Amino acid sequence: TKPKQLERQHSTGSSKAVAQGPRGDKRQLVGHVLIVEDNPVNLAVVRKMLQRFGLTCDTAKDGLECLEAIKTMQYDLVLMDIQMPNMDGRQATRKIREREQQFGLTRMPVLAITANVMGDDRAKCIQAGMDDYIAKPVKPTDLNNLLQQWLPMQETVISQGRTAPRVASVVSSMGANNALANVEANTSEELLALDKNVLGELFDIMEDEAVRLLQDYINNVPEIFKNIDLAIREGAANNLVLPAHSLKSSSANVGATRVSALAKQLEFMAKENKMDAAAVCWQSMKIAYAQAERELIAIIKKGGL
């Protein structure tokens, strides 16, 4: 028998941010989305974007939680991180497709959230059964444009004299102004400890939740650093990939571009099993983070930029 779908019992997200229709009319995305992401900073940013688009959402921190969630709730779309503990995004997507075939269910769109946008990585996502992808760090314009291809939209009324709050204007996730693209295009020494332009975009998105998100980022780093340090001391390259990957994307989200660049290098070194080089990179990362942390704490104490 087919699994029973539970009735939705979720509050509607804010409808302040709306998509621009092709004829100049204001239209709003409609749907219930599952976000699968293990990094709390990345998760909070994406969830806020979806709420501003007028969508409702649930969250899961890995592929196993995702598979449990879809057993009890019907989702219109899944935003799936790739590298996660316990079960990664590609494995989870394969399981979703197997389940759909087993029970004769309608295919549910699964969109990859990935920091790796090279052709080979995209091909692996498609082979796993994913339908599309978006690059990290996720930008509101890019995400809205992508979701319009996969979710229905409805007319929405905006009262006269009231305008939607500004959503950060960004270029394509493959463009030169993308924070992670900047990280990849520059050496870590050339990057700022803290990029105020990226932070400005973050405050546009998160509004009054931005300061709390910065604190969450700082609170999350010690556990990541502990895992990195242990992996390097034990020479365990496989255990280094995931924490380095997590730090890379969350640091890019909060504007800690030098830390993000070094985390990217560390992830690459781990995949290549270059642990001596990783140990040197790790020392540089700790210095870069200390600089970024000082600036972030000052912003937190100030209550904003």
Side-chain angles (χ1 to χ4, degrees):
T1 59
K2 295 183 180 180
K4 182 180 179 181
Q5 302 290 2
L6 299 185
E7 182 180 356
R8 297 179 190 171
Q9 297 177 339
H10 300 268
S11 59
T12 304
S14 167
S15 60
K16 292 188 291 184
V18 294
Q20 183 70 41
R23 297 178 303 279
D25 57 316
K26 295 291 184 179
R27 298 187 300 159
Q28 180 179 303
L29 289 162
V30 180
H32 190 50
V33 177
L34 178 63
I35 311 169
V36 190
E37 167 67 70
D38 65 307
N39 185 287
V41 172
N42 299 341
L43 177 61
V45 172
V46 173
R47 181 170 55 201
K48 185 67 172 182
M49 289 181 192
L50 295 183
Q51 290 171 348
R52 292 186 67 177
F53 297 159
L55 299 168
T56 58
C57 59
D58 291 334
T59 64
K61 67 175 182 289
D62 58 39
L64 292 178
E65 286 194 3
C66 167
L67 296 180
E68 288 301 312
I70 65 172
K71 291 178 182 177
T72 57
M73 180 62 64
Q74 180 179 354
Y75 294 99
D76 299 297
L77 182 144
V78 177
L79 286 172
M80 183 82 76
D81 189 22
I82 300 300
Q83 291 189 266
M84 296 179 290
N86 302 319
M87 180 183 287
D88 67 33
R90 285 190 287 265
Q91 290 174 313
T93 302
R94 291 189 187 98
K95 294 290 185 181
I96 290 172
R97 299 309 180 212
E98 290 172 5
R99 180 174 179 272
E100 288 170 346
Q101 287 190 339
Q102 179 182 358
F103 294 108
L105 302 174
T106 302
R107 183 183 176 97
M108 177 174 56
V110 178
L111 312 185
I113 306 175
T114 176
N116 302 313
V117 292
M118 302 304 291
D120 184 52
D121 296 300
R122 293 199 300 269
K124 289 179 180 177
C125 290
I126 300 302
Q127 289 170 4
M130 293 177 165
D131 298 289
D132 213 328
Y133 75 97
I134 187 168
K136 289 183 179 180
V138 177
K139 299 294 184 177
T141 300
D142 298 330
L143 182 58
N144 197 305
N145 290 339
L146 179 65
L147 293 177
Q148 286 184 47
Q149 300 177 42
W150 295 100
L151 290 175
M153 299 183 71
Q154 68 179 11
E155 300 295 329
T156 186
V157 178
I158 299 180
S159 58
Q160 189 173 7
R162 179 186 172 195
T163 58
R166 181 169 67 92
V167 176
S169 176
V170 294
V171 297
S172 165
S173 59
M174 295 293 287
N177 289 336
N178 179 274
L180 200 55
N182 282 338
V183 165
E184 294 172 353
N186 296 278
T187 63
S188 59
E189 291 79 7
E190 295 171 334
L191 295 168
L192 297 171
L194 202 63
D195 190 325
K196 298 297 177 62
N197 290 328
V198 175
L199 271 176
E201 291 184 356
L202 181 67
F203 272 77
D204 280 340
I205 296 165
M206 300 302 295
E207 299 174 320
D208 56 353
E209 298 178 40
V211 171
R212 179 185 57 79
L213 184 71
L214 297 183
Q215 187 63 62
D216 288 345
Y217 168 77
I218 291 174
N219 293 344
N220 196 45
V221 167
E223 181 67 21
I224 295 176
F225 271 23
K226 183 179 75 173
N227 292 333
I228 290 174
D229 187 64
L230 181 62
I232 287 177
R233 284 191 288 109
E234 294 181 347
N238 289 339
N239 295 339
L240 181 57
V241 174
L242 196 59
H245 176 82
S246 178
L247 186 64
K248 174 182 66 177
S249 56
S250 61
S251 297
N253 265 322
V254 301
T257 50
R258 192 179 301 162
V259 175
S260 183
L262 289 165
K264 178 180 175 62
Q265 293 176 22
L266 198 62
E267 181 185 12
F268 173 79
M269 292 167 185
K271 289 178 178 178
E272 296 294 315
N273 199 26
K274 298 178 179 179
M275 296 304 287
D276 289 341
V280 176
C281 182
W282 169 225
Q283 298 306 315
S284 298
M285 180 188 292
K286 287 188 285 187
I287 295 171
Y289 174 72
Q291 294 171 333
E293 184 186 46
R294 282 195 296 270
E295 295 189 38
L296 288 171
I297 289 174
I299 292 170
I300 291 169
K301 289 181 177 179
K302 184 180 176 182
L305 295 175

